[in-house]
Amino acid sequence: MATSADRSRPNILITGTPGTGKSVTSGEVASACDMKHIDIGQVAKEHNLHTEYDEEYSCPVLDEDRVIDELEEEVSQGGVVVEYHGCSFFPERWFDIVFVTRTDNTILYNRLEARGYNGKKLTDNVQCEIFQTILEEARESYDENIVHELQSDTPEQLVSNVERITQWVQAWISNR
């Protein structure tokens, strides 16, 4: 696989608890930077990359190894923005930078409730955010120097986050 030094465009991972703004941020960044947006959930659905269905959380369980196999060649080319609510299974070599979207717990609760989350699924996701589970996972999985937190409570913060990432991409390309 090509390394960061071999690619002409960076690879970005945007991760975070469901409801923290990953999808909107990822799509906006990909569009602004002329990069490919890869939504892991969508890829898994399109290519049937699940091992089973989790009745308790009402969602399919991702086959992480098959996801890696499916995307390896595409990611090696560079110029992708990958989005998913977990990050530890991705190879560290894939990403030049990792952004973890964060949201105030009350705002997150309301967002998830509006999506139809309830019971254990709602509680567990809010607790995940309270305990910074995804942020800690990112810090444990990648060099801490490439892991950055993005607060994503308001539309203004979303715009600011997209601008920040876009500026980073431009600087990365300029330094090639």
Side-chain angles (χ1 to χ4, degrees):
M1 173 169 167
T3 65
S4 176
D6 299 327
R7 297 191 303 260
S8 63
R9 303 196 48 83
N11 287 334
I12 299 169
L13 172 61
I14 299 180
T15 188
T17 306
T20 59
K22 293 178 308 298
S23 297
V24 175
T25 302
S26 300
E28 292 291 324
V29 167
S31 178
C33 297
D34 194 28
M35 297 171 73
K36 180 166 185 183
H37 177 209
I38 299 176
D39 174 342
I40 296 299
Q42 191 62 38
V43 170
K45 183 185 286 187
E46 289 171 3
H47 298 279
N48 195 28
L49 303 177
H50 298 106
T51 58
E52 60 188 299
Y53 190 81
D54 185 326
E55 296 294 337
E56 184 175 27
Y57 289 102
S58 301
C59 66
V61 176
L62 190 68
D63 185 332
E64 296 170 349
D65 291 335
R66 289 180 56 214
V67 169
I68 299 304
D69 292 344
E70 180 70 32
L71 295 175
E72 184 78 42
E73 186 176 327
E74 185 171 17
V75 172
S76 73
Q77 304 303 310
V80 299
V81 180
V82 175
E83 158 206 349
Y84 193 59
H85 59 261
C87 63
S88 63
F89 71 95
F90 295 117
E92 187 174 359
R93 69 182 183 278
W94 275 16
F95 302 109
D96 300 292
I97 197 161
V98 176
F99 292 100
V100 182
T101 53
R102 304 291 315 280
T103 300
D104 172 83
N105 303 327
T106 302
I107 294 169
L108 180 61
Y109 183 94
N110 293 336
R111 286 180 186 173
L112 294 176
E113 195 173 50
R115 288 183 179 185
Y117 285 41
N118 55 45
K120 183 171 176 52
K121 186 172 184 175
L122 176 60
T123 302
D124 285 357
N125 277 289
V126 172
Q127 286 180 349
C128 181
E129 187 67 7
I130 290 169
F131 295 119
Q132 302 182 35
T133 304
I134 305 300
L135 179 61
E136 292 305 316
E137 180 182 327
R139 288 179 174 157
E140 291 171 7
S141 301
Y142 303 95
D143 181 328
E144 282 196 32
N145 295 318
I146 71 165
V147 177
H148 304 273
E149 248 181 290
L150 298 174
Q151 197 61 33
S152 185
D153 297 333
T154 67
E156 295 79 17
Q157 286 174 325
L158 172 72
V159 169
S160 176
N161 292 339
V162 170
E163 288 173 357
R164 176 181 173 189
I165 299 170
T166 300
Q167 289 170 356
W168 180 88
V169 169
Q170 292 167 347
W172 190 95
I173 292 169
S174 294
N175 291 331
R176 293 325 244 169

